[in-house]
Amino acid sequence: NRIQALKLPAHISVKPTQLGLDLSQDLCLAQLTALVAHAAKVGTFVSIDMEGSPYVDRTLELYRRLRPQHPNVGVCLQAYLYRTPDDLDGLSPLQPTIRLVKGAYNEPANVAFPKKRDVDQRYLELAQRLLAATPRPPQPHGFGTHDVNLIERICTHARASGIPTSAFELQMLFGIRGADQVRLAQAGHAMRVLISYGSYWFPWYMRRLAERPANVWFVVRSMFS
Ligand SMILES: Cc1cc2nc3c(=O)[nH]c(=O)nc-3n(C[C@H](O)[C@H](O)[C@H](O)COP(=O)(O)OP(=O)(O)OC[C@H]3O[C@@H](n4cnc5c(N)ncnc54)[C@H](O)[C@@H]3O)c2cc1C
């Protein structure tokens, strides 16, 4: 409601476990359905986060149940999981809006690529597949990464293939690579910034910082630049 009142071009991002997935799939679906229906009324879009690998099947099932009635819902896929190309195939008939990320959880080597180089390569391949898929979904796909080299490779591919910048958004976390966010937006890209909202913003932000020891320095530096 505040997004509507303030006329913000903002979307909502939620983790299914915050909406009861650990208690029951039906409960979570009911909560998500109510949220997505209300978001449609106020003209906004809901993106479903992807959590650790034990949640992937259940999260994709939620998405499969929601998407046919609700064009204003998207789901996140993680490039580090071996299964993701197959998941993308399975979702394709739904004309899904995907937020593609590398993946943030500590996954075992039989589930996810342990090496960054492999994750980056898989990310690029998946991004290219998303950009090639037609018809395009109502809300463009989002590339959620701070990896500016990877972003450059994706943009170069899009340009070379005649894919318009309106076919995708770039997404980063608030406070990380702020100068690049401005630069990319000025270059004509849709740049969406993820910010935590509500009383639990502090633990959420601390977890993001803890993901990378270098983060504390990044944040301190960005406060003064
Ligand atoms: C909008 C958005 C939504 C996300 N949603 C999910 C989700 O639903 N599920 C999920 O598993 N993961 C999610 N993630 C996290 C994602 O999976 C990665 O863990 C995270 O983005 C770091 O990887 P990277 O792609 O930025 O590349 P990396 O290769 O890790 O980083 C590239 C470069 O970016 C900079 N950088 C990256 N991360 C940080 C940081 N935290 N602080 C400071 N500098 C940094 C560094 O310079 C680094 O060298 C999301 C990320 C974004 C941006």
Side-chain angles (χ1 to χ4, degrees), residues 14-33 35-36 46 48 51 62:
V14 282
K15 293 192 192 313
T17 57
Q18 291 170 330
L19 296 180
L21 185 58
D22 280 328
L23 298 174
S24 117
Q25 179 94 4
D26 288 345
L27 170 73
C28 187
L29 179 62
Q31 306 252 47
L32 261 173
T33 305
L35 183 66
V36 170
V46 177
I48 304 175
E51 302 176 77
L62 289 168

Side-chain angles (χ1 to χ4, degrees), residues 32-194:
L32 261 173
T33 305
L35 183 66
V36 170
H38 191 71
K41 270 194 212 144
V42 301
T44 190
F45 186 88
V46 177
S47 187
I48 304 175
D49 285 355
M50 190 58 79
E51 302 176 77
S53 55
Y55 292 106
V56 175
D57 282 326
R58 283 175 283 167
T59 302
L60 294 181
E61 181 55 24
L62 289 168
Y63 188 68
R64 277 190 206 97
R65 301 278 299 274
L66 280 163
R67 177 61 185 84
Q69 279 81 41
H70 304 280
N72 66 320
V73 64
V75 70
C76 178
L77 292 181
Q78 298 155 321
Y80 66 4
L81 295 183
Y82 302 131
R83 59 177 287 172
T84 294
D86 293 337
D87 288 337
L88 188 54
D89 281 341
L91 292 177
S92 291
L94 293 172
Q95 230 182 300
T97 295
I98 301 294
R99 178 206 287 152
L100 184 64
V101 301
K102 289 191 187 178
Y105 297 83
N106 206 358
E107 299 289 358
N110 63 336
V111 168
F113 292 108
K115 290 199 182 122
K116 174 176 158 52
R117 196 184 51 230
D118 297 327
V119 179
D120 292 355
Q121 181 57 32
R122 178 55 65 79
Y123 192 114
L124 183 63
E125 289 161 12
L126 290 164
Q128 291 175 348
R129 272 184 60 184
L130 287 171
L131 289 174
T134 51
R136 300 217 163 89
Q139 168 65 33
H141 300 299
F143 298 128
T145 179
H146 312 93
D147 187 335
V148 285
N149 291 328
L150 188 53
I151 290 172
E152 190 49 47
R153 291 168 77 192
I154 293 168
C155 294
T156 302
H157 167 80
R159 268 194 304 275
S161 314
I163 295 162
T165 49
S166 57
F168 61 96
E169 289 185 350
L170 303 174
Q171 302 181 351
M172 294 192 189
L173 301 184
F174 179 71
I176 297 174
R177 290 206 175 268
D180 286 311
Q181 293 177 13
V182 172
R183 176 179 61 77
L184 289 161
Q186 285 173 343
H189 293 288
M191 179 82 235
R192 194 171 291 282
V193 179
L194 189 86

